[in-house]
Each structure stands twice: as structure tokens, then as C-alpha cells.
Amino acid sequence: MKSSKLSIKFRITFWYTLVFSLILALVFFYIYFLSKSYSVHDLQEELKDESADILENLYDKSSRNDILYNADWTKFYDDNVSISLYDKNSSFINGVLPEHFPDKVPFINNKVRQIKSDKNIWLVYDYCYEESPEDSIWVRSIASYGHWSRILYNMLWIFAVLFPITVFISAFVGYHILKKALQPIYTISDMAKEISFSVNLSKRIETSNTHDEFSYLADAFNSMIAKLEKSFEKEKQFTSDAAHELRTPISVIQSHCEYCLDELKLTDSVREEIEIIYKKTTYIGQLISQLLTISRTDKHSFKPQKEEVDLTLLIESVIEELQQKAAYKNISLLFEYIPQNESYIIQGDTMLLMRMIYNLIENAINYGINGGCVWVNLIKNQENTDIIIKDNGIGIEKEHLDKIWNRFYRVDKSRSTGEGFGLGLSMVRFIVDIHGGSIAVKSKPGYGTTFTVSL
């Protein structure tokens, strides 16, 4: 699995848990080996001390025979250390031998050794006392290491059990602490998505007074949104002002063209030129009208005037209005729906819904083929009403489908017919959104396009 696919929470938790596990293991093994070393060293020193006590008695001639032959066992056992005395032939003289200690363990002078038997582990220290070369005595100190060995074994077993539990608990707790600490990130992300979907740049991310990194991030994000809002507002204001300023002179030009065409006697060439001017000013007038509509709907205060709207009557009205344009390209407009007891009535803004349907049917006509057909179907579902507008025109390439909703977007020169401004589908998407509906498009080049609006 690539790390790029893992969340920050998981990655931080993973590395935190890994480092914590390594530190925990290092600390434990340090304690384990320190305990082991300390226990061995402590027993070694104890063995030597007890041997030194016996040697003091051997050096003292007045007590030597007593310690060799007459002393009871208590003289040879202290602090869990057993002392035994042997002659130069390794024959036992006096002392205490621990139970299960092996027989015939060779003597090595002044060295601590570890002796293992089936039932125990022993530390053995031998020291040779020589009064003369012919008269030597071996002092053997023996201590059981099995007790410490069992303690160390239990430490390993406890660690083996507690280590995964501790690591799991630390990872679980760390993950949830991290999740809570990163909660502001989700808040910022959700607000960014909300602003993106609603296209409402007046919204801001709530900031706390903690003055931490997330607070600084939220402030930076709000500052960016504020600048974007100011820039977009200036653009919208310019569009609105320009449209208003252009509307009057365009209307004047249109009225003068109509007057010249209707009232004056003109030569054919002059009439043709004035008709071109009239056609272009009408085209520009329609663009200005759409810009004004966009400017009005772009305002956050805009609210659709919803009322009961009969979609059958609305669609029939639009088709009637576009019949002449469709006939110019020899395109048939067909409207099909199943009559029901319940009419196709929804709550919506009549003018906006009419604009939506008009733009979709007009778009189908503009990009339809000569002698083609446009089908408009109305389907009533349990939860919504679908308006399906289908044509058998030139279609849209797959890579352009997600871009057709952008303002002023035109697919390419081969698809463009010279009609429209690239604003119609953008307006359709906006109208569908403010009515709480959805719109989908399917298209195949050379076969046509289908728009499905669910309201």
C-alpha cells in the first residue's frame, strides 16, 4: 500500500506507535540486562565475602581446627551461600552442600563459574588456602542462581504479554487523541466543500481564540476567500454595469433598423446591410439579456419566486416558441408524456424553469442535424419528475462533458454553429441547483445527446 493513500492520522499514529514500541522495548531490555548483570555481580560479591569470612578462620590457628572439624552447619551457610571445605585431594572435610548440586565438580582457583544441573543453576567460587604446598584446603562457595533466573524469565514472559497490549492501547489512545486534535482540519475541509458547492464566497470558517496552527490556517483561508469574493464581486458588478450601459444603445440601434426596414424605401444592397446590422444587434441584445439574468441570479440575496408550475403547459409553450427555429433546420420537435390523474405540477419559479427548458431545447436544435429530431419526454416518478430532452445531432466528445456547464465554454469550432454564447447550459445548471434538482448528460459523437433533469 502506498503511503500517499494513507491518512495523516494513520501515518502519524503508525510512526508514533513504532517509535514508542522501540523505546519501550529498549527500556525493557535495558532493565532486563541491567537486572541480570546486577544479580550476577551481587551474587559474585556475596560468594567472595562468605569465602573471605571462612578464610579468616583458617588463617587464625586457634580456630582453624575448630572450623575444619568441629563447626556445625550454621557456620557454613549465610545469605543463601553454602560453604564447603575440601582437602588437596578434593575430599570433603566439612561444610554444607546444596541439594541437587552435581558431584565431582572440578576446582578452579579464584574464579566464579556457572554450573548447571537438571534442576538448578549455580554460581560457584573456589579458593585454595595453602599453608604449605603439602597442606592445602579448598574453600568452595555455592549460591543458587535459579531464583534470579526464574525472576528474569518471568520478566520476559510479562513483557511478551504486556508489550502488544501496551502498544495497542497506546496506538488506540494516540489515534483518538490525534483525531480530536485534527478535528479543525475536517471543519475547514467541510466548510471549503460547502463554499465550493454553494459558490457562496460570503461564508467564512469559524476561528477560535486559541491562536494555534489551525487558527492561523483558518485565518489564511478566510483571507483568501475574502480576496476571491472581492474579485468576483467586482467582476459581477462590471458585467452588470456593462450590460446595463450597452442595453440602451443596442435598443436604439435595433429600433432605428426596424424603422429603416419598415418605413424607408431602400435599395436591395442597403436593405441587406441594415438587416445584417439588425441581426447582429439582436444577437448582442440576447447576450446582454443573459448577462443581466446571470448578474441577477448571482447575487446571494436572489431567491426564486416559487409557485405551482404545470410542466406540460410550460414545455408546450416553449416548443411552440421554438417551432419556427426548428423548422428552419427541418428539425421535428416531439413532446411525449403519459397523461395521469395527477398532473405534472411542481413547485418552482415559472420564468426560470421556462428559461431552463428553452435553453435545453434550443441547444438541441442548434447542434442537431438537418432533418433531425428532438424528443422531449416527461416522466412522473414517485419522488420526482424527470424532463428528458434528446436529440440525434452531432453529439459531444467525452472529454468535454464535464466542461459544458462552464460559462462561455464552447466545445470546438467543428461543433460550434455560430449560434449561442456558451451561457445556456451554465444557466440551466444554476436553475436546476436552486430548485434542488439534478441534471445528467449522456452523449456519443455522431449519435446525439440526452439531457435528463430531475426536479
Side-chain angles (χ1 to χ4, degrees):
M1 183 180 291
K2 296 182 179 180
S3 59
S4 60
K5 294 183 180 180
L6 302 177
S7 66
I8 293 177
K9 294 196 304 294
F10 183 87
R11 279 182 280 172
I12 294 177
T13 303
F14 171 77
W15 287 110
Y16 151 77
T17 305
L18 180 63
V19 172
F20 174 78
S21 302
L22 291 175
I23 293 174
L24 184 64
L26 289 173
V27 169
F28 170 78
F29 284 111
Y30 174 78
I31 295 173
Y32 173 80
F33 287 110
L34 185 65
S35 300
K36 184 176 181 180
S37 175
Y38 173 79
S39 64
V40 172
H41 180 269
D42 186 56
L43 278 178
Q44 289 176 344
E45 293 300 317
E46 194 66 35
L47 289 173
K48 292 178 180 180
D49 289 344
E50 294 301 326
S51 294
D53 292 341
I54 296 297
L55 287 171
E56 286 180 5
N57 290 320
L58 293 177
Y59 286 131
D60 187 357
K61 293 183 178 181
S62 61
S63 61
R64 181 183 175 191
N65 288 334
D66 188 46
I67 197 68
L68 285 173
Y69 305 109
N70 299 322
D72 60 12
W73 68 272
T74 57
K75 291 287 186 178
F76 299 98
Y77 185 82
D78 187 28
D79 293 334
N80 294 320
V81 176
S82 302
I83 307 293
S84 54
L85 303 177
Y86 298 82
D87 61 17
K88 63 180 180 179
N89 298 319
S90 301
S91 298
F92 180 79
I93 300 174
N94 199 359
V96 176
L97 282 174
E99 187 178 6
H100 304 302
F101 185 76
D103 297 331
K104 298 181 181 181
V105 176
F107 291 91
I108 300 177
N109 189 37
N110 199 26
K111 183 178 180 180
V112 178
R113 294 170 292 157
Q114 189 178 93
I115 305 298
K116 293 183 179 180
S117 67
D118 294 337
K119 297 184 178 181
N120 208 339
I121 301 174
W122 315 89
L123 289 183
V124 178
Y125 175 69
D126 296 329
Y127 189 85
C128 183
Y129 167 73
E130 294 183 345
E131 186 173 353
S132 65
E134 295 78 14
D135 187 12
S136 61
I137 297 174
W138 284 97
V139 179
R140 170 166 283 178
S141 304
I142 306 170
S144 172
Y145 188 66
H147 173 69
W148 279 103
S149 179
R150 285 188 293 273
I151 291 176
L152 293 173
Y153 174 79
N154 289 335
M155 285 178 63
L156 285 175
W157 187 85
I158 291 171
F159 175 75
V161 172
L162 292 182
F163 179 76
I165 297 175
T166 304
V167 170
F168 175 78
I169 292 175
S170 66
F172 180 80
V173 173
Y175 179 84
H176 283 82
I177 291 175
L178 192 61
K179 183 178 180 181
K180 186 174 182 181
L182 293 177
Q183 186 59 41
I185 290 290
Y186 294 100
T187 303
I188 294 173
S189 177
D190 292 341
M191 180 57 70
K193 290 178 181 177
E194 184 179 344
I195 292 173
S196 177
F197 290 142
S198 65
V199 200
N200 185 0
L201 297 179
S202 64
K203 294 183 178 180
R204 296 292 183 270
I205 298 173
E206 294 183 5
T207 58
S208 61
N209 295 323
T210 55
H211 300 291
D212 55 11
E213 289 80 356
F214 296 122
S215 177
Y216 296 142
L217 177 62
D219 289 338
F221 189 86
N222 287 338
S223 177
M224 179 189 69
I225 293 297
K227 290 181 179 179
L228 287 174
E229 181 186 21
K230 187 176 180 180
S231 175
F232 278 111
E233 288 299 329
K234 286 182 178 180
E235 181 182 343
K236 292 174 186 176
Q237 188 62 42
F238 171 78
T239 302
S240 178
D241 292 344
H244 277 291
E245 291 297 325
L246 290 172
R247 195 172 193 177
T248 300
I250 291 298
S251 298
V252 171
I253 294 173
Q254 281 183 303
S255 63
H256 278 72
C257 288
E258 290 173 354
Y259 173 78
C260 292
L261 292 172
D262 294 338
E263 303 295 334
L264 301 180
K265 294 181 179 180
L266 305 172
T267 63
D268 292 341
S269 59
V270 173
R271 179 174 291 276
E272 183 178 351
E273 294 299 327
I274 293 178
E275 285 178 347
I276 292 174
I277 295 173
Y278 181 76
K279 183 178 180 180
K280 292 300 179 181
T281 53
T282 301
Y283 180 85
I284 295 173
Q286 291 174 352
L287 172 61
I288 291 172
S289 177
Q290 292 210 32
L291 288 175
L292 287 172
T293 303
I294 291 172
S295 176
R296 181 171 63 90
T297 56
D298 267 347
K299 295 180 180 179
H300 304 317
S301 58
F302 172 78
K303 291 183 180 180
Q305 303 296 319
K306 290 188 176 182
E307 57 186 348
E308 288 190 351
V309 179
D310 191 331
L311 292 177
T312 56
L313 297 179
L314 208 62
I315 293 172
E316 288 172 351
S317 174
V318 172
I319 289 177
E320 183 179 353
E321 187 175 349
L322 289 170
Q323 279 290 359
Q324 185 175 355
K325 184 171 185 176
Y328 182 77
K329 294 183 67 174
N330 196 25
I331 291 177
S332 302
L333 298 180
L334 302 177
F335 178 34
E336 298 178 357
Y337 67 96
I338 301 175
Q340 298 181 356
N341 294 331
E342 182 182 357
S343 58
Y344 294 87
I345 294 178
I346 65 169
Q347 290 289 324
D349 188 304
T350 303
M351 296 305 298
L352 291 180
L353 290 175
M354 180 176 286
R355 169 58 65 181
M356 177 194 74
I357 297 169
Y358 186 96
N359 286 356
L360 288 173
I361 298 177
E362 184 184 40
N363 187 76
I365 295 172
N366 289 341
Y367 300 110
I369 58 175
N370 190 30
C373 188
V374 175
W375 296 269
V376 182
N377 296 320
L378 197 56
I379 301 174
K380 186 77 172 181
N381 299 320
Q382 291 183 351
E383 297 181 357
N384 49 42
T385 302
D386 291 344
I387 304 171
I388 303 173
I389 299 173
K390 179 181 178 182
D391 66 71
N392 58 351
I394 61 178
I396 308 171
E397 296 287 347
K398 185 177 180 180
E399 62 267 23
H400 297 295
L401 287 177
D402 59 338
K403 301 175 184 177
I404 60 175
W405 312 109
N406 299 337
R407 291 177 185 174
F408 299 105
Y409 184 78
R410 306 289 291 275
V411 175
D412 53 38
K413 291 182 179 180
S414 63
R415 176 173 165 81
S416 178
T417 62
E419 300 184 57
F421 316 104
L423 293 171
L425 293 180
S426 172
M427 177 66 69
V428 167
R429 184 66 172 267
F430 172 79
I431 295 171
V432 171
D433 288 342
I434 64 173
H435 282 84
S438 63
I439 184 169
V441 57
K442 293 181 180 179
S443 186
K444 187 176 181 181
Y447 289 89
T449 304
T450 301
F451 287 90
T452 303
V453 179
S454 295
L455 298 173

